Amino acid sequence: MRMQRIASAAVIAVGLLAAPGTAQAAEEWTQVAPAFTWPDRHFADVEGTGDGGAWAVGFQRTKYVSVPTGISPDASQIVLLDVPPKPVLQRFDGTKWKNVATHGLDGDGALQDVDAVSASDVWISGYRHTNGREGTTYLAHWDGTKWNTVDPPAPFERARRRQLSAEADALWLMEDGKVSRRKDGAWTTYELGDVWDLDTYPSGGAWAQGGRWLRHFDGTAWKSIAPPPGGFGPVFHATGPDTGWTAAGSGLARWDGSSWTTTPYPAGYKGGGTSSNADPSGPWVQVIPEEPTYEDKEMNLHWDGSSWQRFPSAPLPTAGTAQGDLWTVMDAPLGSSDYYLHRWNGTAWVRDHPGSQAFRNIRLTALPGGLLATGQDKNGNVRAFTTSD
């Protein structure tokens, strides 16, 4: 999936947005239960297809079985049996989910990423589980009618990270420090170092970033980009095939294709590390006082194109919809690993969550008519809800 990942709490799919939202009534959520899976299951990625539908990928690896107790010939008990992971592939048609067979991955394995160019051009990736461990990369393509397996680049086992990025005429695959491009049926592989994220564009341009480095692909070759004054922030947000920005220590640093321009933060503040590109009206950055005092605390900044807007410190936006809504996730009380959804009302985050139960492993996916939210409840059940305009 080509979207930004936020601290494992959410994966963002961003639609076209208006400026930071205005106050609106709470959304009406509709539950759309995923298809059946075994008890230990997880949606690793969810991707909209532009027509109101979506694909979800992941794994399942535990099932209930009935075993004899030995007390009597008819007596048995239900136990959990641990087994290697099995792939999960589900399709959402806008109203309901259904399981779909993973062509060429009938045995053990898992799916990790999905990227859609359109409803009839979708790619998935994952791995085959062989000899009791994670094995080689699995790739498949949906042509609108059926799934077809595609040979990956040279075999790569036990990659810590895999990421797909699909374009209409090319496919990119990141496996740790190896980035490969498939065009006209042939793979070209580049060794770039430990890659954290990959962004690609239909023009052929691409960005790859690691710990403290950034490289740009111009359609022919990769080139290192020197850091802005104050160094790179933790994340570089690509905004086009040749442009992007990062929350540097001293200000918002924007790359125009040839050089950096830095907009300083308000006096007395420096970059705190967290930033968000979920709102196309401008970047969001969390900053901290250069010399913290009891009165001066960290705060959020939004750049509207001409000036900084200041807001109290809180989670930054993590998703947006075509209706102009900004969304984020916030911890449930007592510092648990569960989260509630919140929507921006123009000045603050307000809780707007489907039901009263917090979720974990939340995925937010923008659909043409609203938002698709998936996650797991306290019992590990996969849940899914949609909003509508």
Side-chain angles (χ1 to χ4, degrees), residues 167-185:
E167 308 299 343
D169 64 346
L171 174 71
W172 291 84
L173 174 67
M174 180 267 283
E175 300 168 292
D176 290 344
K178 184 176 74 172
V179 174
S180 301
R181 187 188 190 204
R182 184 178 187 270
K183 188 173 178 64
D184 298 326

Side-chain angles (χ1 to χ4, degrees), residues 93-274:
D93 65 5
T95 58
K96 62 184 183 300
W97 294 87
K98 72 173 182 178
N99 283 312
V100 178
T102 48
H103 184 266
L105 188 58
D106 302 325
D108 299 336
L111 298 178
Q112 299 169 302
D113 202 2
V114 54
D115 201 15
V117 178
S118 67
S120 59
D121 189 359
V122 184
W123 289 85
I124 56 176
S125 68
Y127 64 87
R128 305 176 189 278
H129 191 88
T130 56
N131 300 320
R133 66 176 189 177
E134 181 178 327
T136 55
T137 297
Y138 165 83
L139 280 176
H141 176 254
W142 172 257
D143 62 9
T145 303
K146 63 184 183 303
W147 284 99
N148 297 289
T149 55
V150 175
D151 290 334
F156 193 105
E157 291 196 12
R158 307 194 75 177
R160 291 172 298 163
R161 286 184 294 272
R162 289 183 179 88
Q163 182 184 342
L164 278 177
S165 191
E167 308 299 343
D169 64 346
L171 174 71
W172 291 84
L173 174 67
M174 180 267 283
E175 300 168 292
D176 290 344
K178 184 176 74 172
V179 174
S180 301
R181 187 188 190 204
R182 184 178 187 270
K183 188 173 178 64
D184 298 326
W187 288 101
T188 303
T189 298
Y190 308 89
E191 297 287 348
L192 300 182
D194 192 15
V195 180
W196 288 7
D197 198 21
L198 177 70
D199 291 282
T200 70
Y201 291 86
S203 65
W207 295 93
Q209 57 184 301
R212 291 292 176 180
W213 58 262
L214 177 67
R215 292 187 175 91
H216 176 255
F217 186 75
D218 62 5
T220 304
W222 289 94
K223 180 182 73 173
S224 294
I225 304 296
F232 290 117
V235 178
F236 174 81
H237 301 281
T239 56
D242 303 303
T243 59
W245 62 272
T246 186
S250 59
L252 177 68
R254 287 167 290 175
W255 179 259
D256 64 6
S258 60
S259 61
W260 292 100
T261 300
T262 301
T263 301
Y265 302 127
Y269 284 88
K270 62 181 180 180
T274 306

